[in-house]
Amino acid sequence: MSPSVVRWLGIVSPTRKPTIPSLLTILIYVACHYAAPAQAHTVDITQQKNMLWGERGLSNPSRRLRDIADNSLLYFNMRSVVLLTVATPASINSTLPRMLANLASFKDKQQVDTYGHDTTLAEHTIVASTSMAVQLGCDALSQTYHQKCYELDHFLNAGVEDILALSKTKAHAYSLGLSRIKALVDLVSLGYDVFYFDLHHVFFRNPLAYLYANTSAPVVVSGTPASGCRPLAAGPGGRLPVDHHRLDIVFIRSQPSTFRCLYNWLYWSTHTTHDVGDKPLDHHTFRNTMQECVTSLGVSVISVQYLDPHAFPSNCATKCGCRTNSPVDPVRPGTPGANSSCPPEVMSQWVGYLLGCSGSPAALEADMVRYGEMLAATK
């Protein structure tokens, strides 16, 4: 045994005479340090489940979340809405400030705060932090952008390092997924529409203006990774595509049916055993829960709509957007009217560009700079 192990067992101590360890002490050490690792599919979410659910049902929204939501409230087209995203250590120094600056560029006479003042989208964004270090970084940024910072179950999610490569341990694919669903349930139950987006975006136009004008379903989500430039639509009877739903964007209109379906989503995610691989748990459970809800309640009560990839292209499928359901090739350098090698007539359709396949934080920042320069060139 190593000296540190021997000291841990009590065989040798620098401050006391040698002792003989008990058999129980040795067994405990062996069990803790030499037991075979748990299988990937045996992630235990009991602690989080017990935190979320009690004898009287689902735990209510915290007072802090209610206060933050009230202070983040945005009136847009006669609707009450808040924006929500999640920040991690990988995003706090580059991705988050770039996104907040992006959101701060959007002001609209249709969007006012509770005092009737015109405001920016950044001021109505709730940034859910995964650790105290991220929370402090978010608080510092709020001096400039006036977003609100909310502690998202730090004791469960503090090990999450990067939303693109979720964490070093599979447990965080579960904990963060459940935390996100609970935040959506809470905000919708308070009567707010919710626009959730991952930070790996650049918005070219006001996303709320687009969503309220061009979608009507109670639940609107980004296209699936497999769909590429092909617009998705629910099939007969509201049947959803069987593809994996990545949920880069989720827009929820607050109404009784959406609350019921979100509640069921959280319940099934916490009360059923899942093997999600390295996918976040909420991505894995979304489709089956929503399908059951749509089938049971009917499309006149609840439906799911998918964002048009021509308006919200993804760099997983194309670097220059979509045209007639196909990826667009970059134009040759020097082409008149082209911005950063993408055709201007295609860029004019973009509302937001999803950058979920950038890879590393450094590559994501480079992509955000590149598409940000495209945005600046269009103004």
Side-chain angles (χ1 to χ4, degrees), residues 39 43 53 84 102 117 123 128 133 152 175 177 179 183 186 190 194-195 203 247 277 283 318 323:
Q39 295 300 311
V43 173
W53 302 92
L84 175 67
N102 185 206
H117 301 146
E123 295 175 64
L152 188 68
S175 66
S179 295
D186 286 347
L190 294 172
V194 182
F195 174 53
F203 292 112
L247 307 182
H283 295 188
T318 172
R323 180 194 285 134

Side-chain angles (χ1 to χ4, degrees), residues 103-165:
L103 293 172
S105 68
F106 295 106
K107 294 189 71 170
D108 195 303
K109 292 182 179 180
Q110 299 179 84
Q111 61 189 47
V112 295
D113 62 13
T114 53
Y115 301 101
H117 301 146
D118 294 349
T119 54
T120 72
L121 290 185
E123 295 175 64
H124 302 282
T125 299
I126 301 173
V127 177
S129 64
T130 57
S131 68
M132 184 52 65
V134 177
Q135 180 75 14
L136 294 174
C138 180
D139 287 339
L141 289 169
S142 68
Q143 302 302 311
T144 301
Y145 300 108
H146 309 293
Q147 83 285 359
K148 310 303 183 293
C149 307
Y150 174 66
E151 303 89 342
L152 188 68
D153 300 335
H154 284 180
F155 71 99
L156 292 168
N157 296 315
V160 176
E161 297 178 357
D162 185 358
I163 206 97
L164 292 176

